[in-house]
Amino acid sequence: MKYYYARVSSESQNLDRQVECFKELGANPRTIFQEKKSGKSLENREVWNELLTEWVKEGDTIVVKNLDRIGRNAKEVRECLIDLAQKGVIVESLDQAYLNDFLRKNLIEKEADSLAEAMLNVMLDTMLQVDLLRAEWERKELRKRQQEGIERALAKGIKFGRNKNQEYREKFNEIYPLTRDKNNPNYLSVKDAIKVIGCSKAMFYKLRDEM
């Protein structure tokens, strides 16, 4: 049986690219496990731990887009791969297909010896370091492109950020009704309302007159 595991580090990130890749390989959606958790540690990874403890068994395969989806800690990933191999579970990486034969032949088909484990340790350390450096470079390039775009926009006179008057208007619309009914337990005097809105007295009355 093949199971597929997709992970991103935060709620704001998207799993679609990994999931679509698995579907293109013919994965049944019921066998795709998705998780939005940091890759710094294997602890508190509920979906990953559920996959290992409740689903996979000897002879099964876990497919990931990249081994860094298992985790960013090379030591933990290595120990996890060896532990799975001892249980007869194969791990396949789509991006590091060159590692799949090594993992199968040295960890699955024969009992992993110290040399195989040492080789795996070096390979994973190197691979994950390269991936981390690549990710950092991509982040820097993205920030650079964003900054260049902002500078070009500013040069054209485009302004960023919300209009201050708009912020005052939104706060005014929320606060002004409280100044109209003294019987309201949340009643505010005009003086206090101006403080809450953060505008000047003149701006307060200007906003009132525009209603």
Side-chain angles (χ1 to χ4, degrees):
M1 183 73 176
K2 277 194 175 184
Y3 296 96
Y4 301 80
Y5 178 73
R7 181 188 66 80
V8 290
S9 297
S10 66
E11 288 293 333
S12 62
Q13 293 178 298
N14 199 309
L15 286 158
D16 290 351
R17 187 165 61 91
Q18 295 176 61
V19 172
E20 286 304 314
C21 186
F22 296 151
K23 288 181 178 179
E24 288 174 3
L25 295 174
N28 185 318
R30 289 178 296 178
T31 63
I32 299 176
F33 291 73
Q34 305 176 45
E35 188 159 41
K36 293 188 174 185
K37 282 290 182 71
S38 170
K40 291 181 179 180
S41 173
L42 291 175
E43 294 182 3
N44 300 319
R45 297 264 294 281
E46 292 89 353
V47 175
W48 174 253
N49 290 321
E50 177 190 345
L51 174 61
L52 299 193
T53 58
E54 299 183 22
W55 294 85
V56 297
K57 58 184 182 297
E58 183 176 358
D60 287 342
T61 299
I62 299 175
V63 180
V64 292
K65 183 75 168 57
N66 188 299
L67 288 178
D68 66 7
R69 298 304 85 200
I70 295 176
R72 288 288 191 178
N73 184 309
K75 182 175 181 294
E76 279 194 340
V77 174
R78 177 178 64 88
E79 291 174 351
C80 180
L81 291 174
I82 291 173
D83 181 60
L84 287 171
Q86 291 172 345
K87 296 175 181 177
V89 177
I90 299 169
V91 176
E92 291 184 356
S93 166
L94 301 181
D95 290 348
Q96 292 108 4
Y98 57 88
L99 270 176
N100 294 340
D101 283 342
F102 174 86
L103 295 174
R104 183 179 293 102
K105 292 177 181 178
N106 291 278
L107 300 184
I108 298 288
E109 294 179 1
K110 71 172 186 176
E111 185 176 350
D113 54 26
S114 58
L115 177 59
E117 294 181 15
M119 289 174 63
L120 178 60
N121 193 25
V122 171
M123 293 169 74
L124 286 178
D125 276 336
T126 302
M127 180 197 72
L128 292 179
Q129 284 299 323
V130 169
D131 282 348
L132 288 171
L133 288 171
R134 182 194 64 203
E136 178 62 23
W137 179 83
E138 289 175 347
R139 284 194 294 270
K140 287 181 178 179
E141 284 296 302
L142 177 60
R143 286 195 294 268
K144 180 182 176 182
R145 290 194 296 271
Q146 288 174 335
Q147 185 59 37
E148 289 173 347
I150 291 171
E151 291 173 357
R152 286 195 298 271
L154 289 174
K156 294 178 180 178
I158 298 174
K159 295 182 179 180
F160 292 89
R162 298 180 63 195
N163 184 287
K164 196 68 176 176
N165 288 343
Q166 182 182 351
E167 293 183 12
Y168 287 150
R169 167 59 66 188
E170 290 177 359
K171 289 182 180 179
F172 178 87
N173 290 340
E174 179 182 353
I175 298 300
Y176 180 69
L178 301 180
T179 69
R180 305 296 295 164
D181 183 4
K182 291 185 177 181
N183 294 321
N184 188 324
N186 295 318
Y187 170 78
L188 288 174
S189 67
V190 169
K191 183 178 180 180
D192 288 337
I194 289 172
K195 288 181 181 179
V196 172
I197 297 170
C199 66
S200 66
K201 184 177 180 180
M203 175 59 74
F204 180 89
Y205 286 108
K206 179 178 182 293
L207 292 170
R208 185 198 65 179
D209 293 342
E210 289 175 354
M211 290 183 69

